[in-house]
Amino acid sequence: MNLTNILSESVLNKEESRRASRNLGVDINTLRRMGLNEHPFGMSPRVLKTYQEKAREGNWYGDFGATPLKEKLAEFYGLKVTNFMAGCGSSALIETCGIAFLNPGDEVIMCPTFAAFLDMAGIRGAKSVVVPLTENKGYDLDGILAAITEKTKMIVVCNPNNPTGQYLPERALREFVEKVPEDIVILFDEAYLEFATAPDCKSMVSLIREGCQKPVVVLKTFSKYYGMAGVRVGYAIADEAVIAAMGKCPGSSVNRAGMYAVMEALDDQEYYREAKEKVVEGVRYLENGLEELGCTVYHTQTNFIMFEPYRDYMQVRAELIRRGILINCPMLCRVSVSTMEDNEEFLKAMKEILQEIR
């Protein structure tokens, strides 16, 4: 399987998982959901209450510019309202970036990562230049720099990366940005960064705050760390001129209830810090358990773990589905951290499967 097919698989995971479960006679909604990187503990009680209350106002249009949210984000990050664009999840904003910055024949450089970036390039007629990962499944910044040509228009860096869970330290990223030519958009996807525990895994929003003269765009979402995947709210952070350029393009709006819910989430950091501690506990438990079973584990800075079971990946997933557990297989096997009960059942099932499949 070539790199393009491997990457494309990750964008089809949701539908493939549904199809796989149907073929096995299993209702996907009855499975332990450990395949889509969802937050096992969900939104906080405060956020849920706000979401439910604002849903009663669903007959009224919301603010199409999401101004209250952008004002809240500006306060949260110490930036201006004009540094933000909100959208229907960060996936929608990926598309907006493609519309704003790419033309047919342009080149977009990335390592194997979230497949929506391939779609972003392909839809605009741009070429995706995929630089292989390092031996440890890390992003190859030197390889990306070496791949830059006169046609390069954008570089994508997903940190921590999906689906590998690996991260790039702040110093390496800052040095990398300094070496990139000034006419290339550097797009940072930080969907999972809030889960990170490594001291040097930090947001590149600091570059924007410092007035970086290069076109840096940081994508954020409330789907992962804030447990609101079904609410569909994300945002982009960039220099005012870059945001203004993006704002001229067709985009997506944020639903009324979702906007107020995510604003409440920003005010309820104590809940999310406590939830993160439980997620990190689950990460360590699963990493240790998988290694004890003989798997190679790529230690993560996210809420999911990529691992090599040394068995057919699709067969492992099918056997897990038969046992009521859903994982996904973009590249290798990837399991999302869930509740401790689910984590325990997953390891129990993996032990049985690895003994059966030889």
Side-chain angles (χ1 to χ4, degrees):
M1 183 180 292
N2 63 38
L3 269 177
T4 300
N5 289 336
I6 290 173
L7 285 163
S8 298
E9 181 183 353
S10 69
V11 86
L12 298 172
N13 268 330
K14 296 181 181 67
E15 180 54 37
E16 285 187 349
S17 297
R18 293 186 180 93
R19 184 163 55 248
S21 63
R22 284 197 300 269
N23 292 341
L24 294 169
V26 177
D27 180 357
I28 192 172
N29 294 313
T30 66
L31 299 176
R32 298 178 190 268
R33 297 172 68 101
M34 302 180 70
L36 301 177
N37 305 342
E38 297 155 321
H39 197 305
F41 306 111
M43 63 185 81
S44 77
R46 276 176 54 181
V47 174
L48 180 58
K49 181 181 179 182
T50 298
Y51 189 48
Q52 291 171 331
E53 289 176 350
K54 291 299 180 180
R56 298 191 183 99
E57 303 173 2
N59 56 310
W60 306 115
Y61 286 116
D63 185 310
F64 290 110
T67 302
L69 172 57
K70 290 190 287 187
E71 290 174 343
K72 189 72 175 180
L73 290 168
E75 177 186 352
F76 186 79
Y77 284 100
L79 291 166
K80 298 178 181 179
V81 171
T82 45
N83 288 121
F84 295 90
M85 170 180 256
C88 184
S90 56
S91 293
L93 292 165
I94 291 172
E95 296 177 14
T96 301
C97 288
I99 296 170
F101 304 121
L102 297 178
N103 292 306
D106 288 340
E107 293 181 350
V108 181
I109 307 177
M110 67 190 83
C111 287
T113 189
F114 184 43
F117 292 107
L118 286 177
D119 295 336
M120 171 196 71
I123 289 169
R124 299 296 296 166
K127 177 184 177 182
S128 293
V129 179
V130 181
V131 174
L133 295 170
T134 65
E135 184 178 349
N136 294 324
K137 299 293 187 288
Y139 240 76
D140 185 357
L141 295 181
D142 289 336
I144 289 176
L145 290 172
I148 293 174
T149 70
E150 293 181 354
K151 294 183 178 180
T152 303
K153 192 67 170 289
M154 182 185 293
I155 293 171
V156 174
V157 178
C158 185
N159 192 45
N161 193 20
N162 177 20
T164 68
Q166 307 300 290
Y167 84 102
L168 293 161
E170 178 187 25
R171 181 176 178 178
L173 287 174
R174 283 177 168 270
E175 292 175 351
F176 171 76
V177 170
E178 289 179 1
K179 297 174 183 177
V180 174
E182 294 183 356
D183 59 344
I184 296 175
V185 176
I186 309 172
L187 185 56
F188 289 102
D189 181 352
E190 296 183 352
Y192 298 92
L193 187 134
E194 287 82 3
F195 285 113
T197 57
D200 57 348
C201 185
K202 296 184 178 181
S203 175
M204 289 296 100
V205 173
S206 57
L207 292 176
I208 299 164
R209 192 178 293 112
E210 294 163 10
C212 177
Q213 296 302 300
K214 295 185 178 180
V216 170
V217 180
V218 177
L219 297 180
K220 294 279 193 178
T221 181
F222 286 93
S223 295
K224 306 304 180 181
Y225 180 77
Y226 289 99
M228 305 174 77
V231 178
R232 310 308 304 134
V233 181
Y235 56 100
I237 314 173
D239 177 81
E240 294 173 272
V242 174
I243 291 295
M246 293 172 62
K248 295 177 181 179
C249 304
S252 60
S253 60
V254 175
N255 78 80
R256 183 187 184 96
M259 182 181 72
Y260 286 102
V262 299
M263 290 168 62
E264 188 69 39
L266 290 173
D267 283 335
D268 199 6
Q269 293 297 318
E270 182 178 358
Y271 169 86
Y272 289 103
R273 283 193 293 268
E274 293 175 354
K276 176 180 176 176
E277 289 177 1
K278 292 189 285 187
V279 170
V280 172
E281 179 186 9
V283 166
R284 303 296 174 251
Y285 176 78
L286 288 177
E287 287 180 337
N288 292 336
L290 286 167
E291 286 182 329
E292 289 175 1
L293 292 175
C295 301
T296 294
V297 173
Y298 294 91
H299 292 270
T300 186
Q301 291 294 316
T302 68
N303 66 331
F304 59 82
I305 301 161
M306 192 172 77
F307 65 98
E308 168 63 84
Y310 299 102
R311 307 289 191 277
D312 180 85
Y313 312 143
M314 296 304 173
Q315 188 176 359
V316 169
R317 182 171 71 169
E319 291 299 327
L320 283 167
I321 289 174
R322 287 193 178 94
R323 290 165 170 81
I325 300 171
L326 174 67
I327 70 163
N328 270 322
C329 301
M331 216 176 289
L332 300 176
C333 285
R334 187 192 67 192
V335 60
S336 306
V337 176
S338 187
T339 63
M340 193 54 72
E341 178 186 351
D342 287 353
N343 296 338
E344 291 171 352
E345 288 299 315
F346 166 75
L347 287 180
K348 178 182 176 182
M350 281 297 300
K351 182 177 181 179
E352 294 174 356
I353 291 167
L354 295 178
Q355 290 175 344
E356 292 175 3
I357 305 176
R358 296 187 182 279

